[in-house]
Amino acid sequence: MDAPVFMCWIQKEIVLCINHAPQNPHRRTGCIHHVICRGIERREFFGEATDRDDFLKRLETILGETQTPCYAWALLPNHFHLLLRTGNTPIARVMRQLLSGYAGRFNRLHRRSAHLFQNRYKSIG
């Protein structure tokens, strides 16, 4: 049985930042990044609807506070994908807020104390 995919497309057209890309595109305003993050040992961290809801509420709040556009997202049981455009706030800060807050809540709720995510998120920009 295939795992359910929870996906939302927010915008239809995306302009990629290709011309004169600097060495560190994560700091350049206006670049599009495909962000991927997987659960440690490929374990599920979106097992319950409340987990997905909390993640999406956190994402919405952080994106609003940092004015970071999100064009699409996909939540699978053991990983997620985000399509973000860099603004004045670096992607690293956005992801740190999102992942730290979510992991802390998830671990408290599920009585865990270990790492939740496999590695640092991956960003292709």
Side-chain angles (χ1 to χ4, degrees), residues 34-98:
H34 175 197
V35 178
I36 308 158
C37 190
R38 184 178 303 280
I40 193 162
E41 297 175 343
R42 298 180 184 243
R43 291 186 186 170
E44 292 184 6
F45 56 90
F46 290 132
E48 300 174 12
T50 55
D51 295 331
R52 290 187 299 275
D53 292 344
D54 177 67
F55 182 87
L56 291 173
K57 286 177 189 171
R58 285 177 190 280
L59 178 63
E60 179 181 27
T61 300
I62 292 166
L63 294 177
E65 290 172 355
T66 61
Q67 297 181 347
T68 302
C70 179
Y71 296 101
W73 52 263
L75 307 182
L76 289 86
N78 70 347
H79 71 286
F80 65 84
H81 299 263
L82 302 173
L83 194 58
L84 305 175
R85 180 184 294 275
T86 54
N88 292 329
T89 305
I91 295 293
R93 186 177 303 156
V94 172
M95 294 307 297
R96 182 174 57 242
Q97 283 182 265
L98 177 63

Side-chain angles (χ1 to χ4, degrees), residues 24-38:
N24 188 352
H26 298 274
R27 298 188 185 274
R28 184 167 179 198
T29 302
C31 289
I32 298 291
H33 294 274
H34 175 197
V35 178
I36 308 158
C37 190
R38 184 178 303 280

